[in-house]
mmCIF file of all heavy atoms in Angstrom:
data_model
loop_
_atom_site.group_PDB
_atom_site.id
_atom_site.type_symbol
_atom_site.label_atom_id
_atom_site.label_comp_id
_atom_site.label_asym_id
_atom_site.label_seq_id
_atom_site.Cartn_x
_atom_site.Cartn_y
_atom_site.Cartn_z
ATOM 1 N N MET A 1 -31.660 -53.338 21.744
ATOM 2 C CA MET A 1 -32.489 -54.660 21.464
ATOM 3 C C MET A 1 -33.399 -54.849 22.718
ATOM 4 O O MET A 1 -34.500 -55.136 22.556
ATOM 5 C CB MET A 1 -31.513 -55.693 21.258
ATOM 6 C CG MET A 1 -30.732 -55.816 19.966
ATOM 7 S SD MET A 1 -29.559 -56.966 19.845
ATOM 8 C CE MET A 1 -30.445 -58.558 19.789
ATOM 9 N N LYS A 2 -32.887 -54.523 23.938
ATOM 10 C CA LYS A 2 -33.771 -54.735 25.083
ATOM 11 C C LYS A 2 -34.922 -53.787 25.157
ATOM 12 O O LYS A 2 -36.167 -54.088 25.315
ATOM 13 C CB LYS A 2 -32.898 -54.644 26.316
ATOM 14 C CG LYS A 2 -33.712 -54.905 27.627
ATOM 15 C CD LYS A 2 -32.904 -54.866 28.925
ATOM 16 C CE LYS A 2 -33.711 -55.242 30.137
ATOM 17 N NZ LYS A 2 -34.849 -54.534 30.280
ATOM 18 N N SER A 3 -34.617 -52.484 24.650
ATOM 19 C CA SER A 3 -35.589 -51.508 24.654
ATOM 20 C C SER A 3 -36.706 -51.827 23.566
ATOM 21 O O SER A 3 -37.796 -51.782 23.865
ATOM 22 C CB SER A 3 -35.011 -50.205 24.331
ATOM 23 O OG SER A 3 -36.065 -49.221 24.067
ATOM 24 N N VAL A 4 -36.242 -52.366 22.457
ATOM 25 C CA VAL A 4 -37.207 -52.754 21.324
ATOM 26 C C VAL A 4 -38.043 -53.873 21.789
ATOM 27 O O VAL A 4 -39.385 -53.930 21.557
ATOM 28 C CB VAL A 4 -36.546 -53.077 20.081
ATOM 29 C CG1 VAL A 4 -37.430 -53.555 19.066
ATOM 30 C CG2 VAL A 4 -35.869 -51.723 19.535
ATOM 31 N N ARG A 5 -37.506 -54.830 22.508
ATOM 32 C CA ARG A 5 -38.286 -56.066 22.831
ATOM 33 C C ARG A 5 -39.214 -55.645 24.067
ATOM 34 O O ARG A 5 -40.389 -56.098 23.966
ATOM 35 C CB ARG A 5 -37.326 -57.014 23.468
ATOM 36 C CG ARG A 5 -37.902 -58.405 23.768
ATOM 37 C CD ARG A 5 -36.816 -59.432 24.014
ATOM 38 N NE ARG A 5 -37.393 -60.684 24.354
ATOM 39 C CZ ARG A 5 -37.731 -61.589 23.380
ATOM 40 N NH1 ARG A 5 -37.472 -61.299 22.185
ATOM 41 N NH2 ARG A 5 -38.217 -62.762 23.659
ATOM 42 N N ASP A 6 -38.849 -54.744 24.933
ATOM 43 C CA ASP A 6 -39.875 -54.254 26.009
ATOM 44 C C ASP A 6 -40.973 -53.536 25.267
ATOM 45 O O ASP A 6 -42.133 -53.697 25.638
ATOM 46 C CB ASP A 6 -39.137 -53.229 26.870
ATOM 47 C CG ASP A 6 -38.102 -53.984 27.832
ATOM 48 O OD1 ASP A 6 -38.136 -55.311 27.833
ATOM 49 O OD2 ASP A 6 -37.321 -53.367 28.369
ATOM 50 N N ARG A 7 -40.770 -52.733 24.245
ATOM 51 C CA ARG A 7 -41.785 -52.057 23.543
ATOM 52 C C ARG A 7 -42.701 -53.079 22.840
ATOM 53 O O ARG A 7 -43.960 -52.872 22.820
ATOM 54 C CB ARG A 7 -41.232 -51.096 22.518
ATOM 55 C CG ARG A 7 -40.589 -49.795 23.253
ATOM 56 C CD ARG A 7 -39.643 -49.111 22.334
ATOM 57 N NE ARG A 7 -40.217 -48.592 21.205
ATOM 58 C CZ ARG A 7 -39.487 -48.079 20.175
ATOM 59 N NH1 ARG A 7 -38.262 -48.205 20.036
ATOM 60 N NH2 ARG A 7 -40.274 -47.636 18.956
ATOM 61 N N LEU A 8 -42.132 -54.145 22.277
ATOM 62 C CA LEU A 8 -42.977 -54.980 21.598
ATOM 63 C C LEU A 8 -43.871 -55.771 22.679
ATOM 64 O O LEU A 8 -45.132 -55.984 22.262
ATOM 65 C CB LEU A 8 -42.047 -56.259 21.015
ATOM 66 C CG LEU A 8 -41.571 -56.039 19.508
ATOM 67 C CD1 LEU A 8 -40.659 -57.113 19.160
ATOM 68 C CD2 LEU A 8 -42.768 -56.200 18.656
ATOM 69 N N ALA A 9 -43.368 -56.036 23.834
ATOM 70 C CA ALA A 9 -44.336 -56.546 24.807
ATOM 71 C C ALA A 9 -45.419 -55.757 25.167
ATOM 72 O O ALA A 9 -46.658 -56.177 25.308
ATOM 73 C CB ALA A 9 -43.505 -56.939 25.990
ATOM 74 N N LEU A 10 -45.179 -54.310 25.238
ATOM 75 C CA LEU A 10 -46.208 -53.419 25.485
ATOM 76 C C LEU A 10 -47.250 -53.288 24.363
ATOM 77 O O LEU A 10 -48.469 -53.253 24.561
ATOM 78 C CB LEU A 10 -45.670 -51.926 25.730
ATOM 79 C CG LEU A 10 -44.862 -51.854 27.069
ATOM 80 C CD1 LEU A 10 -44.144 -50.452 27.083
ATOM 81 C CD2 LEU A 10 -45.538 -52.145 28.237
ATOM 82 N N VAL A 11 -46.832 -53.419 23.126
ATOM 83 C CA VAL A 11 -47.691 -53.292 22.004
ATOM 84 C C VAL A 11 -48.721 -54.558 21.863
ATOM 85 O O VAL A 11 -49.806 -54.484 21.423
ATOM 86 C CB VAL A 11 -46.787 -53.128 20.700
ATOM 87 C CG1 VAL A 11 -47.758 -53.197 19.545
ATOM 88 C CG2 VAL A 11 -46.286 -51.733 20.661
ATOM 89 N N GLY A 12 -48.228 -55.699 22.427
ATOM 90 C CA GLY A 12 -48.975 -56.887 22.398
ATOM 91 C C GLY A 12 -48.210 -58.104 21.789
ATOM 92 O O GLY A 12 -48.833 -59.125 21.696
ATOM 93 N N GLY A 13 -46.935 -57.766 21.492
ATOM 94 C CA GLY A 13 -46.173 -58.958 21.110
ATOM 95 C C GLY A 13 -46.615 -59.696 19.862
ATOM 96 O O GLY A 13 -46.566 -60.836 19.671
ATOM 97 N N ILE A 14 -47.228 -58.912 18.903
ATOM 98 C CA ILE A 14 -47.545 -59.362 17.577
ATOM 99 C C ILE A 14 -46.395 -59.544 16.733
ATOM 100 O O ILE A 14 -45.582 -58.622 16.515
ATOM 101 C CB ILE A 14 -48.653 -58.495 16.975
ATOM 102 C CG1 ILE A 14 -49.776 -58.123 17.912
ATOM 103 C CG2 ILE A 14 -49.136 -58.983 15.711
ATOM 104 C CD1 ILE A 14 -50.790 -57.062 17.388
ATOM 105 N N HIS A 15 -46.029 -60.733 16.239
ATOM 106 C CA HIS A 15 -44.929 -61.090 15.507
ATOM 107 C C HIS A 15 -45.179 -61.323 14.055
ATOM 108 O O HIS A 15 -46.269 -61.680 13.759
ATOM 109 C CB HIS A 15 -44.130 -62.331 16.053
ATOM 110 C CG HIS A 15 -43.684 -62.171 17.519
ATOM 111 N ND1 HIS A 15 -42.553 -61.444 17.857
ATOM 112 C CD2 HIS A 15 -44.199 -62.643 18.657
ATOM 113 C CE1 HIS A 15 -42.460 -61.445 19.084
ATOM 114 N NE2 HIS A 15 -43.419 -62.119 19.681
ATOM 115 N N THR A 16 -44.268 -61.088 13.305
ATOM 116 C CA THR A 16 -44.512 -61.186 11.839
ATOM 117 C C THR A 16 -44.703 -62.561 11.341
ATOM 118 O O THR A 16 -45.163 -62.877 10.261
ATOM 119 C CB THR A 16 -43.298 -60.559 10.975
ATOM 120 O OG1 THR A 16 -42.224 -61.228 11.477
ATOM 121 C CG2 THR A 16 -43.172 -59.062 11.298
ATOM 122 N N ASP A 17 -44.281 -63.445 12.175
ATOM 123 C CA ASP A 17 -44.454 -64.842 11.839
ATOM 124 C C ASP A 17 -45.806 -65.361 11.829
ATOM 125 O O ASP A 17 -46.073 -66.497 11.409
ATOM 126 C CB ASP A 17 -43.527 -65.860 12.661
ATOM 127 C CG ASP A 17 -43.980 -65.753 14.143
ATOM 128 O OD1 ASP A 17 -44.850 -65.021 14.557
ATOM 129 O OD2 ASP A 17 -43.144 -66.365 14.916
ATOM 130 N N ARG A 18 -46.810 -64.506 12.226
ATOM 131 C CA ARG A 18 -48.274 -64.878 12.230
ATOM 132 C C ARG A 18 -48.805 -64.712 10.786
ATOM 133 O O ARG A 18 -49.810 -65.184 10.511
ATOM 134 C CB ARG A 18 -49.071 -63.959 13.159
ATOM 135 C CG ARG A 18 -48.701 -64.215 14.723
ATOM 136 C CD ARG A 18 -49.735 -63.462 15.561
ATOM 137 N NE ARG A 18 -49.475 -63.774 17.014
ATOM 138 C CZ ARG A 18 -50.112 -63.030 17.869
ATOM 139 N NH1 ARG A 18 -51.072 -62.188 17.683
ATOM 140 N NH2 ARG A 18 -49.925 -63.497 19.119
ATOM 141 N N ILE A 19 -48.010 -64.033 9.982
ATOM 142 C CA ILE A 19 -48.465 -63.689 8.540
ATOM 143 C C ILE A 19 -47.935 -64.943 7.918
ATOM 144 O O ILE A 19 -46.737 -64.894 7.295
ATOM 145 C CB ILE A 19 -47.845 -62.361 8.142
ATOM 146 C CG1 ILE A 19 -48.407 -61.262 9.043
ATOM 147 C CG2 ILE A 19 -48.429 -62.046 6.647
ATOM 148 C CD1 ILE A 19 -47.868 -59.840 8.659
ATOM 149 N N THR A 20 -48.655 -65.935 7.666
ATOM 150 C CA THR A 20 -48.223 -67.208 7.068
ATOM 151 C C THR A 20 -48.496 -67.314 5.597
ATOM 152 O O THR A 20 -48.057 -68.329 5.051
ATOM 153 C CB THR A 20 -48.885 -68.284 7.867
ATOM 154 O OG1 THR A 20 -50.337 -68.290 7.650
ATOM 155 C CG2 THR A 20 -48.566 -68.235 9.251
ATOM 156 N N LYS A 21 -49.344 -66.403 5.082
ATOM 157 C CA LYS A 21 -49.790 -66.565 3.644
ATOM 158 C C LYS A 21 -48.969 -65.677 2.621
ATOM 159 O O LYS A 21 -49.460 -65.402 1.611
ATOM 160 C CB LYS A 21 -51.281 -66.315 3.500
ATOM 161 C CG LYS A 21 -52.069 -67.507 4.301
ATOM 162 C CD LYS A 21 -53.413 -67.266 4.073
ATOM 163 C CE LYS A 21 -54.246 -68.315 4.924
ATOM 164 N NZ LYS A 21 -55.759 -68.077 4.669
ATOM 165 N N ALA A 22 -47.855 -65.087 3.096
ATOM 166 C CA ALA A 22 -47.168 -64.256 2.194
ATOM 167 C C ALA A 22 -46.670 -64.882 0.979
ATOM 168 O O ALA A 22 -46.277 -66.089 1.000
ATOM 169 C CB ALA A 22 -45.952 -63.676 2.961
ATOM 170 N N GLN A 23 -46.889 -64.172 -0.154
ATOM 171 C CA GLN A 23 -46.436 -64.804 -1.388
ATOM 172 C C GLN A 23 -45.097 -64.145 -1.831
ATOM 173 O O GLN A 23 -45.029 -62.941 -1.866
ATOM 174 C CB GLN A 23 -47.541 -64.452 -2.557
ATOM 175 C CG GLN A 23 -48.781 -65.120 -2.237
ATOM 176 C CD GLN A 23 -49.798 -64.809 -3.279
ATOM 177 O OE1 GLN A 23 -49.690 -63.939 -4.204
ATOM 178 N NE2 GLN A 23 -50.979 -65.414 -3.281
ATOM 179 N N LEU A 24 -44.100 -64.881 -1.945
ATOM 180 C CA LEU A 24 -42.793 -64.392 -2.085
ATOM 181 C C LEU A 24 -42.148 -64.817 -3.412
ATOM 182 O O LEU A 24 -42.312 -65.958 -3.843
ATOM 183 C CB LEU A 24 -41.773 -64.961 -1.016
ATOM 184 C CG LEU A 24 -42.222 -64.718 0.424
ATOM 185 C CD1 LEU A 24 -41.269 -65.470 1.324
ATOM 186 C CD2 LEU A 24 -42.224 -63.261 0.769
ATOM 187 N N SER A 25 -41.574 -63.922 -4.166
ATOM 188 C CA SER A 25 -40.966 -64.189 -5.526
ATOM 189 C C SER A 25 -39.719 -63.559 -5.556
ATOM 190 O O SER A 25 -39.552 -62.404 -5.017
ATOM 191 C CB SER A 25 -42.003 -63.652 -6.697
ATOM 192 O OG SER A 25 -43.291 -64.285 -6.649
ATOM 193 N N VAL A 26 -38.790 -64.163 -6.325
ATOM 194 C CA VAL A 26 -37.554 -63.659 -6.554
ATOM 195 C C VAL A 26 -37.287 -63.588 -8.083
ATOM 196 O O VAL A 26 -37.507 -64.553 -8.732
ATOM 197 C CB VAL A 26 -36.395 -64.533 -5.820
ATOM 198 C CG1 VAL A 26 -35.079 -63.981 -6.362
ATOM 199 C CG2 VAL A 26 -36.524 -64.455 -4.458
ATOM 200 N N PHE A 27 -36.918 -62.407 -8.474
ATOM 201 C CA PHE A 27 -36.496 -62.285 -10.034
ATOM 202 C C PHE A 27 -35.013 -62.248 -10.109
ATOM 203 O O PHE A 27 -34.352 -61.415 -9.379
ATOM 204 C CB PHE A 27 -37.133 -60.958 -10.622
ATOM 205 C CG PHE A 27 -38.576 -60.971 -10.600
ATOM 206 C CD1 PHE A 27 -39.369 -60.534 -9.454
ATOM 207 C CD2 PHE A 27 -39.405 -61.325 -11.659
ATOM 208 C CE1 PHE A 27 -40.772 -60.463 -9.426
ATOM 209 C CE2 PHE A 27 -40.635 -61.323 -11.616
ATOM 210 C CZ PHE A 27 -41.399 -60.977 -10.455
ATOM 211 N N ARG A 28 -34.456 -63.141 -10.956
ATOM 212 C CA ARG A 28 -33.000 -63.462 -10.893
ATOM 213 C C ARG A 28 -32.541 -63.494 -12.355
ATOM 214 O O ARG A 28 -33.147 -64.100 -13.224
ATOM 215 C CB ARG A 28 -32.673 -64.678 -10.057
ATOM 216 C CG ARG A 28 -31.233 -65.088 -10.143
ATOM 217 C CD ARG A 28 -31.025 -66.259 -9.221
ATOM 218 N NE ARG A 28 -31.360 -66.039 -7.987
ATOM 219 C CZ ARG A 28 -31.268 -66.918 -6.956
ATOM 220 N NH1 ARG A 28 -31.196 -68.208 -7.308
ATOM 221 N NH2 ARG A 28 -31.676 -66.663 -5.770
ATOM 222 N N LYS A 29 -31.370 -62.810 -12.509
ATOM 223 C CA LYS A 29 -30.748 -62.885 -13.856
ATOM 224 C C LYS A 29 -29.582 -63.856 -13.723
ATOM 225 O O LYS A 29 -28.765 -63.869 -12.768
ATOM 226 C CB LYS A 29 -30.211 -61.481 -14.316
ATOM 227 C CG LYS A 29 -31.335 -60.542 -14.700
ATOM 228 C CD LYS A 29 -30.802 -59.176 -15.330
ATOM 229 C CE LYS A 29 -31.846 -58.261 -15.773
ATOM 230 N NZ LYS A 29 -31.255 -57.066 -16.244
ATOM 231 N N ASP A 30 -29.416 -64.718 -14.865
ATOM 232 C CA ASP A 30 -28.237 -65.518 -15.088
ATOM 233 C C ASP A 30 -27.864 -65.579 -16.494
ATOM 234 O O ASP A 30 -28.384 -64.735 -17.275
ATOM 235 C CB ASP A 30 -28.447 -66.908 -14.445
ATOM 236 C CG ASP A 30 -29.909 -67.577 -15.103
ATOM 237 O OD1 ASP A 30 -30.178 -67.187 -16.181
ATOM 238 O OD2 ASP A 30 -30.437 -68.458 -14.392
ATOM 239 N N ALA A 31 -27.036 -66.545 -16.764
ATOM 240 C CA ALA A 31 -26.568 -66.555 -18.237
ATOM 241 C C ALA A 31 -27.588 -66.782 -19.248
ATOM 242 O O ALA A 31 -27.597 -66.468 -20.346
ATOM 243 C CB ALA A 31 -25.418 -67.571 -18.415
ATOM 244 N N LYS A 32 -28.779 -67.450 -18.770
ATOM 245 C CA LYS A 32 -29.869 -67.704 -19.669
ATOM 246 C C LYS A 32 -30.893 -66.615 -19.650
ATOM 247 O O LYS A 32 -31.858 -66.587 -20.462
ATOM 248 C CB LYS A 32 -30.602 -68.977 -19.166
ATOM 249 C CG LYS A 32 -29.684 -70.229 -19.256
ATOM 250 C CD LYS A 32 -30.379 -71.467 -18.642
ATOM 251 C CE LYS A 32 -29.504 -72.615 -18.730
ATOM 252 N NZ LYS A 32 -30.104 -74.013 -18.243
ATOM 253 N N GLY A 33 -30.773 -65.539 -18.946
ATOM 254 C CA GLY A 33 -31.755 -64.413 -18.856
ATOM 255 C C GLY A 33 -32.324 -64.347 -17.456
ATOM 256 O O GLY A 33 -31.987 -64.900 -16.544
ATOM 257 N N ALA A 34 -33.426 -63.452 -17.497
ATOM 258 C CA ALA A 34 -34.063 -63.280 -16.315
ATOM 259 C C ALA A 34 -35.256 -64.446 -16.054
ATOM 260 O O ALA A 34 -35.805 -64.714 -16.965
ATOM 261 C CB ALA A 34 -34.884 -61.920 -16.310
ATOM 262 N N SER A 35 -35.394 -64.814 -14.903
ATOM 263 C CA SER A 35 -36.489 -65.789 -14.373
ATOM 264 C C SER A 35 -37.036 -65.281 -13.193
ATOM 265 O O SER A 35 -36.526 -64.629 -12.247
ATOM 266 C CB SER A 35 -35.785 -67.098 -14.342
ATOM 267 O OG SER A 35 -34.805 -67.231 -13.403
ATOM 268 N N ARG A 36 -38.312 -65.815 -12.897
ATOM 269 C CA ARG A 36 -39.125 -65.599 -11.691
ATOM 270 C C ARG A 36 -39.097 -66.860 -10.950
ATOM 271 O O ARG A 36 -39.535 -67.848 -11.520
ATOM 272 C CB ARG A 36 -40.530 -65.174 -12.118
ATOM 273 C CG ARG A 36 -41.433 -64.867 -10.785
ATOM 274 C CD ARG A 36 -42.794 -64.403 -11.219
ATOM 275 N NE ARG A 36 -43.675 -64.223 -10.126
ATOM 276 C CZ ARG A 36 -44.264 -65.228 -9.445
ATOM 277 N NH1 ARG A 36 -44.190 -66.420 -9.907
ATOM 278 N NH2 ARG A 36 -45.082 -64.813 -8.437
ATOM 279 N N ILE A 37 -38.764 -66.902 -9.651
ATOM 280 C CA ILE A 37 -38.720 -68.037 -8.877
ATOM 281 C C ILE A 37 -39.611 -67.737 -7.746
ATOM 282 O O ILE A 37 -39.507 -67.051 -6.845
ATOM 283 C CB ILE A 37 -37.229 -68.217 -8.264
ATOM 284 C CG1 ILE A 37 -36.166 -68.128 -9.320
ATOM 285 C CG2 ILE A 37 -37.206 -69.436 -7.386
ATOM 286 C CD1 ILE A 37 -34.744 -68.150 -8.885
ATOM 287 N N PRO A 38 -40.639 -68.767 -7.546
ATOM 288 C CA PRO A 38 -41.496 -68.844 -6.345
ATOM 289 C C PRO A 38 -40.607 -69.236 -5.273
ATOM 290 O O PRO A 38 -39.889 -70.254 -5.372
ATOM 291 C CB PRO A 38 -42.545 -69.793 -6.768
ATOM 292 C CG PRO A 38 -42.532 -70.010 -8.279
ATOM 293 C CD PRO A 38 -41.098 -69.733 -8.579
ATOM 294 N N ALA A 39 -40.736 -68.372 -4.114
ATOM 295 C CA ALA A 39 -39.640 -68.607 -3.080
ATOM 296 C C ALA A 39 -40.279 -68.921 -1.698
ATOM 297 O O ALA A 39 -41.478 -68.807 -1.527
ATOM 298 C CB ALA A 39 -38.757 -67.370 -3.047
ATOM 299 N N THR A 40 -39.429 -69.327 -0.783
ATOM 300 C CA THR A 40 -39.779 -69.520 0.584
ATOM 301 C C THR A 40 -38.757 -68.727 1.462
ATOM 302 O O THR A 40 -37.856 -68.195 0.837
ATOM 303 C CB THR A 40 -39.583 -71.041 1.105
ATOM 304 O OG1 THR A 40 -38.213 -71.416 0.868
ATOM 305 C CG2 THR A 40 -40.442 -71.846 0.156
ATOM 306 N N ASP A 41 -39.039 -68.585 2.741
ATOM 307 C CA ASP A 41 -38.140 -67.773 3.510
ATOM 308 C C ASP A 41 -36.839 -68.131 3.495
ATOM 309 O O ASP A 41 -35.976 -67.437 3.683
ATOM 310 C CB ASP A 41 -38.791 -67.779 5.000
ATOM 311 C CG ASP A 41 -40.092 -67.013 5.154
ATOM 312 O OD1 ASP A 41 -40.348 -66.168 4.276
ATOM 313 O OD2 ASP A 41 -40.785 -67.069 6.158
ATOM 314 N N ASP A 42 -36.536 -69.396 3.317
ATOM 315 C CA ASP A 42 -35.121 -69.931 3.356
ATOM 316 C C ASP A 42 -34.385 -69.993 2.158
ATOM 317 O O ASP A 42 -33.174 -70.436 2.155
ATOM 318 C CB ASP A 42 -35.287 -71.352 4.004
ATOM 319 C CG ASP A 42 -35.742 -71.484 5.356
ATOM 320 O OD1 ASP A 42 -35.442 -70.537 6.140
ATOM 321 O OD2 ASP A 42 -36.468 -72.435 5.672
ATOM 322 N N LEU A 43 -34.930 -69.406 1.072
ATOM 323 C CA LEU A 43 -34.212 -69.318 -0.191
ATOM 324 C C LEU A 43 -33.025 -68.481 0.024
ATOM 325 O O LEU A 43 -33.148 -67.391 0.545
ATOM 326 C CB LEU A 43 -35.193 -68.865 -1.251
ATOM 327 C CG LEU A 43 -34.541 -68.616 -2.610
ATOM 328 C CD1 LEU A 43 -34.247 -69.979 -3.270
ATOM 329 C CD2 LEU A 43 -35.368 -67.734 -3.613
ATOM 330 N N GLU A 44 -31.904 -68.997 -0.543
ATOM 331 C CA GLU A 44 -30.620 -68.226 -0.424
ATOM 332 C C GLU A 44 -30.543 -67.259 -1.695
ATOM 333 O O GLU A 44 -30.665 -67.732 -2.774
ATOM 334 C CB GLU A 44 -29.531 -69.186 -0.456
ATOM 335 C CG GLU A 44 -28.302 -68.578 0.154
ATOM 336 C CD GLU A 44 -27.209 -69.574 0.521
ATOM 337 O OE1 GLU A 44 -27.435 -70.568 1.125
ATOM 338 O OE2 GLU A 44 -26.138 -69.504 -0.219
ATOM 339 N N LEU A 45 -30.388 -66.070 -1.337
ATOM 340 C CA LEU A 45 -30.329 -64.922 -2.405
ATOM 341 C C LEU A 45 -28.821 -64.862 -3.045
ATOM 342 O O LEU A 45 -27.879 -65.376 -2.436
ATOM 343 C CB LEU A 45 -30.738 -63.714 -1.779
ATOM 344 C CG LEU A 45 -32.201 -63.666 -1.221
ATOM 345 C CD1 LEU A 45 -32.340 -62.166 -0.577
ATOM 346 C CD2 LEU A 45 -33.237 -63.991 -2.275
#
C-alpha cells in the first residue's frame, strides 16, 4: 500500500473521485422479475 501510494504521488495524485458525473445502474432480479435501478456510490448491493 505504501508503494502504491508513493507511485500515485509521482503520477500526479489524480484520484477517481474527480470523476463526478459517472452514470451508475444496477440490474437486479427479485421475485417480481428483473429491474434497473439508477444508483449512487453508497447503494448496498
